[in-house]
mmCIF file of all heavy atoms in Angstrom:
data_model
loop_
_atom_site.group_PDB
_atom_site.id
_atom_site.type_symbol
_atom_site.label_atom_id
_atom_site.label_comp_id
_atom_site.label_asym_id
_atom_site.label_seq_id
_atom_site.Cartn_x
_atom_site.Cartn_y
_atom_site.Cartn_z
ATOM 1 N N TYR K 1 0.889 -1.184 -0.002
ATOM 2 C CA TYR K 1 0.025 -0.018 0.040
ATOM 3 C C TYR K 1 0.892 1.244 -0.017
ATOM 4 O O TYR K 1 1.751 1.370 0.908
ATOM 5 C CB TYR K 1 -0.896 -0.015 1.263
ATOM 6 C CG TYR K 1 -2.033 0.921 1.292
ATOM 7 C CD1 TYR K 1 -2.419 1.691 0.208
ATOM 8 C CD2 TYR K 1 -2.779 1.001 2.474
ATOM 9 C CE1 TYR K 1 -3.536 2.546 0.307
ATOM 10 C CE2 TYR K 1 -3.975 1.826 2.545
ATOM 11 C CZ TYR K 1 -4.276 2.606 1.397
ATOM 12 O OH TYR K 1 -5.339 3.459 1.539
ATOM 13 N N SER K 2 0.821 2.055 -1.032
ATOM 14 C CA SER K 2 1.784 3.114 -1.161
ATOM 15 C C SER K 2 1.198 4.362 -1.805
ATOM 16 O O SER K 2 0.147 4.336 -2.505
ATOM 17 C CB SER K 2 2.958 2.669 -1.999
ATOM 18 O OG SER K 2 2.554 2.269 -3.294
ATOM 19 N N ILE K 3 1.913 5.468 -1.682
ATOM 20 C CA ILE K 3 1.454 6.717 -2.253
ATOM 21 C C ILE K 3 1.703 6.755 -3.768
ATOM 22 O O ILE K 3 1.098 7.490 -4.495
ATOM 23 C CB ILE K 3 2.207 7.904 -1.615
ATOM 24 C CG1 ILE K 3 1.617 9.245 -2.026
ATOM 25 C CG2 ILE K 3 3.735 7.905 -1.855
ATOM 26 C CD1 ILE K 3 2.117 10.433 -1.284
ATOM 27 N N ILE K 4 2.673 5.958 -4.216
ATOM 28 C CA ILE K 4 3.018 5.865 -5.650
ATOM 29 C C ILE K 4 3.769 4.582 -5.809
ATOM 30 O O ILE K 4 4.222 3.954 -4.833
ATOM 31 C CB ILE K 4 3.912 7.080 -6.066
ATOM 32 C CG1 ILE K 4 3.997 7.205 -7.599
ATOM 33 C CG2 ILE K 4 5.266 7.011 -5.437
ATOM 34 C CD1 ILE K 4 4.695 8.510 -8.033
ATOM 35 N N THR K 5 3.914 4.117 -6.988
ATOM 36 C CA THR K 5 4.671 2.839 -7.301
ATOM 37 C C THR K 5 6.104 3.180 -6.938
ATOM 38 O O THR K 5 6.680 4.281 -7.005
ATOM 39 C CB THR K 5 4.631 2.457 -8.779
ATOM 40 O OG1 THR K 5 5.146 3.437 -9.535
ATOM 41 C CG2 THR K 5 3.187 2.155 -9.173
ATOM 42 N N PRO K 6 6.872 2.085 -6.522
ATOM 43 C CA PRO K 6 8.344 2.322 -6.304
ATOM 44 C C PRO K 6 9.060 2.881 -7.479
ATOM 45 O O PRO K 6 10.028 3.695 -7.332
ATOM 46 C CB PRO K 6 8.839 0.909 -5.910
ATOM 47 C CG PRO K 6 7.632 0.203 -5.407
ATOM 48 C CD PRO K 6 6.434 0.707 -6.149
ATOM 49 N N GLU K 7 8.707 2.470 -8.669
ATOM 50 C CA GLU K 7 9.350 3.006 -9.851
ATOM 51 C C GLU K 7 9.034 4.544 -9.977
ATOM 52 O O GLU K 7 10.000 5.276 -10.288
ATOM 53 C CB GLU K 7 8.776 2.327 -11.159
ATOM 54 C CG GLU K 7 9.062 0.828 -11.217
ATOM 55 C CD GLU K 7 7.942 -0.030 -10.687
ATOM 56 O OE1 GLU K 7 7.241 0.417 -9.714
ATOM 57 O OE2 GLU K 7 7.786 -1.173 -11.211
ATOM 58 N N GLY K 8 7.865 4.975 -9.750
ATOM 59 C CA GLY K 8 7.521 6.334 -9.746
ATOM 60 C C GLY K 8 8.290 7.145 -8.704
ATOM 61 O O GLY K 8 8.769 8.295 -8.931
ATOM 62 N N TYR K 9 8.347 6.533 -7.483
ATOM 63 C CA TYR K 9 9.009 7.229 -6.323
ATOM 64 C C TYR K 9 10.503 7.441 -6.777
ATOM 65 O O TYR K 9 11.037 8.581 -6.624
ATOM 66 C CB TYR K 9 8.935 6.352 -5.156
ATOM 67 C CG TYR K 9 9.562 6.861 -3.863
ATOM 68 C CD1 TYR K 9 8.727 7.532 -2.936
ATOM 69 C CD2 TYR K 9 10.923 6.761 -3.566
ATOM 70 C CE1 TYR K 9 9.316 8.025 -1.756
ATOM 71 C CE2 TYR K 9 11.451 7.231 -2.486
ATOM 72 C CZ TYR K 9 10.701 7.870 -1.488
ATOM 73 O OH TYR K 9 11.210 8.358 -0.352
ATOM 74 N N ALA K 10 11.172 6.418 -7.248
ATOM 75 C CA ALA K 10 12.587 6.476 -7.593
ATOM 76 C C ALA K 10 12.812 7.429 -8.748
ATOM 77 O O ALA K 10 13.825 8.217 -8.772
ATOM 78 C CB ALA K 10 13.089 5.093 -8.009
ATOM 79 N N SER K 11 11.882 7.468 -9.711
ATOM 80 C CA SER K 11 12.046 8.370 -10.834
ATOM 81 C C SER K 11 11.858 9.799 -10.492
ATOM 82 O O SER K 11 12.690 10.686 -10.941
ATOM 83 C CB SER K 11 11.014 7.998 -11.932
ATOM 84 O OG SER K 11 11.087 8.820 -13.040
ATOM 85 N N ILE K 12 10.920 10.126 -9.701
ATOM 86 C CA ILE K 12 10.670 11.511 -9.307
ATOM 87 C C ILE K 12 11.707 12.050 -8.288
ATOM 88 O O ILE K 12 12.206 13.131 -8.476
ATOM 89 C CB ILE K 12 9.247 11.641 -8.639
ATOM 90 C CG1 ILE K 12 8.123 11.366 -9.669
ATOM 91 C CG2 ILE K 12 9.022 12.986 -8.011
ATOM 92 C CD1 ILE K 12 6.790 11.254 -9.132
ATOM 93 N N LEU K 13 12.033 11.275 -7.323
ATOM 94 C CA LEU K 13 13.002 11.751 -6.261
ATOM 95 C C LEU K 13 14.438 11.585 -6.670
ATOM 96 O O LEU K 13 15.320 12.430 -6.193
ATOM 97 C CB LEU K 13 12.664 11.067 -4.929
ATOM 98 C CG LEU K 13 11.366 11.356 -4.357
ATOM 99 C CD1 LEU K 13 11.266 10.731 -2.938
ATOM 100 C CD2 LEU K 13 11.038 12.908 -4.149
ATOM 101 N N TRP K 14 14.744 10.541 -7.415
ATOM 102 C CA TRP K 14 16.186 10.345 -7.719
ATOM 103 C C TRP K 14 16.478 10.309 -9.149
ATOM 104 O O TRP K 14 17.632 10.211 -9.572
ATOM 105 C CB TRP K 14 16.578 8.916 -7.109
ATOM 106 C CG TRP K 14 16.344 8.750 -5.698
ATOM 107 C CD1 TRP K 14 16.420 9.710 -4.666
ATOM 108 C CD2 TRP K 14 15.937 7.555 -4.955
ATOM 109 N NE1 TRP K 14 16.145 9.230 -3.388
ATOM 110 C CE2 TRP K 14 15.817 7.890 -3.505
ATOM 111 C CE3 TRP K 14 15.700 6.230 -5.307
ATOM 112 C CZ2 TRP K 14 15.461 6.995 -2.610
ATOM 113 C CZ3 TRP K 14 15.328 5.289 -4.351
ATOM 114 C CH2 TRP K 14 15.220 5.717 -3.063
ATOM 115 N N GLY K 15 15.451 10.484 -9.984
ATOM 116 C CA GLY K 15 15.649 10.552 -11.409
ATOM 117 C C GLY K 15 16.142 9.238 -12.023
ATOM 118 O O GLY K 15 16.784 9.220 -13.102
ATOM 119 N N ASP K 16 15.877 8.105 -11.315
ATOM 120 C CA ASP K 16 16.380 6.808 -11.761
ATOM 121 C C ASP K 16 15.404 5.707 -11.356
ATOM 122 O O ASP K 16 15.434 5.235 -10.202
ATOM 123 C CB ASP K 16 17.774 6.525 -11.135
ATOM 124 C CG ASP K 16 18.361 5.236 -11.669
ATOM 125 O OD1 ASP K 16 17.726 4.558 -12.491
ATOM 126 O OD2 ASP K 16 19.467 4.935 -11.224
ATOM 127 N N SER K 17 14.562 5.313 -12.303
ATOM 128 C CA SER K 17 13.501 4.301 -11.966
ATOM 129 C C SER K 17 14.102 2.951 -11.683
ATOM 130 O O SER K 17 13.441 2.078 -11.058
ATOM 131 C CB SER K 17 12.493 4.227 -13.130
ATOM 132 O OG SER K 17 13.166 3.769 -14.318
ATOM 133 N N SER K 18 15.309 2.710 -12.104
ATOM 134 C CA SER K 18 15.969 1.426 -11.805
ATOM 135 C C SER K 18 16.244 1.169 -10.315
ATOM 136 O O SER K 18 16.547 0.094 -9.876
ATOM 137 C CB SER K 18 17.266 1.282 -12.587
ATOM 138 O OG SER K 18 18.260 2.215 -12.100
ATOM 139 N N ARG K 19 16.096 2.269 -9.534
ATOM 140 C CA ARG K 19 16.371 2.173 -8.106
ATOM 141 C C ARG K 19 15.051 1.728 -7.314
ATOM 142 O O ARG K 19 14.885 1.995 -6.145
ATOM 143 C CB ARG K 19 16.896 3.437 -7.545
ATOM 144 C CG ARG K 19 18.321 3.767 -8.059
ATOM 145 C CD ARG K 19 18.868 5.127 -7.637
ATOM 146 N NE ARG K 19 19.009 5.214 -6.155
ATOM 147 C CZ ARG K 19 19.336 6.320 -5.542
ATOM 148 N NH1 ARG K 19 19.652 7.451 -6.204
ATOM 149 N NH2 ARG K 19 19.495 6.372 -4.249
ATOM 150 N N ALA K 20 14.076 1.210 -8.063
ATOM 151 C CA ALA K 20 12.765 0.848 -7.518
ATOM 152 C C ALA K 20 12.875 -0.074 -6.353
ATOM 153 O O ALA K 20 12.240 0.127 -5.320
ATOM 154 C CB ALA K 20 11.893 0.274 -8.556
ATOM 155 N N PRO K 21 13.781 -1.087 -6.325
ATOM 156 C CA PRO K 21 13.881 -1.963 -5.150
ATOM 157 C C PRO K 21 14.347 -1.176 -3.914
ATOM 158 O O PRO K 21 13.821 -1.518 -2.827
ATOM 159 C CB PRO K 21 14.991 -3.017 -5.564
ATOM 160 C CG PRO K 21 14.889 -3.062 -7.098
ATOM 161 C CD PRO K 21 14.559 -1.601 -7.495
ATOM 162 N N GLU K 22 15.215 -0.256 -4.110
ATOM 163 C CA GLU K 22 15.670 0.574 -2.946
ATOM 164 C C GLU K 22 14.508 1.449 -2.453
ATOM 165 O O GLU K 22 14.277 1.584 -1.207
ATOM 166 C CB GLU K 22 16.870 1.453 -3.426
ATOM 167 C CG GLU K 22 17.438 2.377 -2.377
ATOM 168 C CD GLU K 22 18.510 3.275 -2.902
ATOM 169 O OE1 GLU K 22 18.916 3.053 -4.036
ATOM 170 O OE2 GLU K 22 18.844 4.224 -2.183
ATOM 171 N N ALA K 23 13.729 1.971 -3.377
ATOM 172 C CA ALA K 23 12.615 2.854 -3.054
ATOM 173 C C ALA K 23 11.585 2.012 -2.268
ATOM 174 O O ALA K 23 11.046 2.570 -1.269
ATOM 175 C CB ALA K 23 11.986 3.439 -4.330
ATOM 176 N N ALA K 24 11.343 0.820 -2.708
ATOM 177 C CA ALA K 24 10.355 -0.005 -1.966
ATOM 178 C C ALA K 24 10.744 -0.224 -0.507
ATOM 179 O O ALA K 24 9.813 -0.202 0.313
ATOM 180 C CB ALA K 24 10.260 -1.357 -2.688
ATOM 181 N N GLU K 25 12.040 -0.340 -0.223
ATOM 182 C CA GLU K 25 12.473 -0.466 1.193
ATOM 183 C C GLU K 25 12.215 0.813 1.927
ATOM 184 O O GLU K 25 11.723 0.775 3.084
ATOM 185 C CB GLU K 25 13.954 -0.816 1.224
ATOM 186 C CG GLU K 25 14.341 -2.183 0.666
ATOM 187 C CD GLU K 25 14.151 -3.268 1.689
ATOM 188 O OE1 GLU K 25 13.816 -2.945 2.851
ATOM 189 O OE2 GLU K 25 14.302 -4.470 1.314
ATOM 190 N N LYS K 26 12.510 1.904 1.324
ATOM 191 C CA LYS K 26 12.423 3.229 1.970
ATOM 192 C C LYS K 26 11.016 3.653 2.219
ATOM 193 O O LYS K 26 10.726 4.378 3.189
ATOM 194 C CB LYS K 26 13.152 4.234 1.072
ATOM 195 C CG LYS K 26 13.455 5.559 1.824
ATOM 196 C CD LYS K 26 14.339 6.479 0.871
ATOM 197 C CE LYS K 26 14.759 7.705 1.590
ATOM 198 N NZ LYS K 26 15.632 7.457 2.673
ATOM 199 N N MET K 27 10.040 3.179 1.388
ATOM 200 C CA MET K 27 8.672 3.708 1.420
ATOM 201 C C MET K 27 7.839 3.084 2.499
ATOM 202 O O MET K 27 6.753 3.567 2.826
ATOM 203 C CB MET K 27 8.062 3.457 0.055
ATOM 204 C CG MET K 27 8.653 4.298 -1.100
ATOM 205 S SD MET K 27 8.053 3.765 -2.705
ATOM 206 C CE MET K 27 6.328 4.200 -2.702
ATOM 207 N N HIS K 28 8.268 1.949 3.111
ATOM 208 C CA HIS K 28 7.471 1.295 4.150
ATOM 209 C C HIS K 28 6.101 0.934 3.667
ATOM 210 O O HIS K 28 5.103 1.436 4.145
ATOM 211 C CB HIS K 28 7.400 2.127 5.440
ATOM 212 C CG HIS K 28 8.781 2.506 5.973
ATOM 213 N ND1 HIS K 28 9.640 1.570 6.619
ATOM 214 C CD2 HIS K 28 9.434 3.639 6.054
ATOM 215 C CE1 HIS K 28 10.729 2.135 7.009
ATOM 216 N NE2 HIS K 28 10.673 3.381 6.633
ATOM 217 N N ILE K 29 6.034 0.038 2.658
ATOM 218 C CA ILE K 29 4.737 -0.171 1.972
ATOM 219 C C ILE K 29 4.153 -1.563 2.349
ATOM 220 O O ILE K 29 3.084 -1.921 1.806
ATOM 221 C CB ILE K 29 4.953 -0.103 0.463
ATOM 222 C CG1 ILE K 29 6.006 -1.118 -0.013
ATOM 223 C CG2 ILE K 29 5.330 1.306 0.097
ATOM 224 C CD1 ILE K 29 6.226 -1.080 -1.538
ATOM 225 N N THR K 30 4.863 -2.386 3.141
ATOM 226 C CA THR K 30 4.313 -3.719 3.369
ATOM 227 C C THR K 30 3.253 -3.711 4.484
ATOM 228 O O THR K 30 3.107 -2.825 5.251
ATOM 229 C CB THR K 30 5.446 -4.652 3.816
ATOM 230 O OG1 THR K 30 5.912 -4.306 5.140
ATOM 231 C CG2 THR K 30 6.616 -4.578 2.810
ATOM 232 N N ALA K 31 2.507 -4.855 4.536
ATOM 233 C CA ALA K 31 1.490 -4.961 5.559
ATOM 234 C C ALA K 31 2.003 -4.884 6.984
ATOM 235 O O ALA K 31 1.434 -4.296 7.825
ATOM 236 C CB ALA K 31 0.780 -6.295 5.329
ATOM 237 N N GLN K 32 3.216 -5.439 7.109
ATOM 238 C CA GLN K 32 3.852 -5.520 8.463
ATOM 239 C C GLN K 32 4.240 -4.086 8.904
ATOM 240 O O GLN K 32 4.046 -3.629 9.995
ATOM 241 C CB GLN K 32 5.009 -6.414 8.435
ATOM 242 C CG GLN K 32 4.676 -7.889 8.236
ATOM 243 C CD GLN K 32 4.267 -8.230 6.774
ATOM 244 O OE1 GLN K 32 4.693 -7.545 5.804
ATOM 245 N NE2 GLN K 32 3.482 -9.287 6.647
ATOM 246 N N ASP K 33 4.852 -3.276 7.945
ATOM 247 C CA ASP K 33 5.132 -1.875 8.190
ATOM 248 C C ASP K 33 3.930 -1.084 8.576
ATOM 249 O O ASP K 33 3.897 -0.296 9.560
ATOM 250 C CB ASP K 33 5.778 -1.274 6.975
ATOM 251 C CG ASP K 33 7.146 -1.838 6.666
ATOM 252 O OD1 ASP K 33 7.900 -2.234 7.635
ATOM 253 O OD2 ASP K 33 7.588 -1.814 5.477
ATOM 254 N N LEU K 34 2.857 -1.293 7.842
ATOM 255 C CA LEU K 34 1.681 -0.420 7.978
ATOM 256 C C LEU K 34 0.839 -0.842 9.211
ATOM 257 O O LEU K 34 0.135 -0.019 9.792
ATOM 258 C CB LEU K 34 0.778 -0.477 6.709
ATOM 259 C CG LEU K 34 1.553 0.075 5.445
ATOM 260 C CD1 LEU K 34 0.634 -0.125 4.228
ATOM 261 C CD2 LEU K 34 1.876 1.488 5.604
ATOM 262 N N LYS K 35 0.962 -2.140 9.646
ATOM 263 C CA LYS K 35 0.345 -2.527 10.860
ATOM 264 C C LYS K 35 0.942 -1.888 12.076
ATOM 265 O O LYS K 35 0.297 -1.387 13.019
ATOM 266 C CB LYS K 35 0.447 -4.051 10.951
ATOM 267 C CG LYS K 35 -0.228 -4.629 12.237
ATOM 268 C CD LYS K 35 -1.780 -4.593 12.083
ATOM 269 C CE LYS K 35 -2.445 -5.530 13.084
ATOM 270 N NZ LYS K 35 -2.229 -5.217 14.511
ATOM 271 N N LYS K 36 2.320 -1.709 12.014
ATOM 272 C CA LYS K 36 3.032 -0.989 13.065
ATOM 273 C C LYS K 36 2.629 0.436 13.165
ATOM 274 O O LYS K 36 2.549 0.987 14.292
ATOM 275 C CB LYS K 36 4.543 -1.177 12.892
ATOM 276 C CG LYS K 36 5.133 -2.566 13.103
ATOM 277 C CD LYS K 36 6.571 -2.614 12.761
ATOM 278 C CE LYS K 36 7.113 -4.007 12.832
ATOM 279 N NZ LYS K 36 8.587 -4.113 12.378
ATOM 280 N N LYS K 37 2.470 1.058 12.000
ATOM 281 C CA LYS K 37 2.016 2.445 11.916
ATOM 282 C C LYS K 37 0.526 2.681 12.258
ATOM 283 O O LYS K 37 0.039 3.799 12.224
ATOM 284 C CB LYS K 37 2.323 3.056 10.609
ATOM 285 C CG LYS K 37 3.852 3.170 10.290
ATOM 286 C CD LYS K 37 4.063 3.657 8.856
ATOM 287 C CE LYS K 37 5.519 3.710 8.490
ATOM 288 N NZ LYS K 37 6.253 4.797 9.226
ATOM 289 N N LYS K 38 -0.176 1.580 12.424
ATOM 290 C CA LYS K 38 -1.692 1.632 12.654
ATOM 291 C C LYS K 38 -2.444 2.230 11.490
ATOM 292 O O LYS K 38 -3.527 2.780 11.690
ATOM 293 C CB LYS K 38 -1.985 2.333 13.968
ATOM 294 C CG LYS K 38 -1.334 1.642 15.202
ATOM 295 C CD LYS K 38 -1.787 2.335 16.458
ATOM 296 C CE LYS K 38 -1.195 1.576 17.619
ATOM 297 N NZ LYS K 38 -1.527 2.199 18.940
#
């Protein structure tokens, strides 16, 4: 669950969509992350 796709996040903030795996880690988008944040 995210504000944008990891590819979009990486492209907009870093100008490099290939960094999508790194963006996915940084965005805290998993069910476990979001359960902790309530």
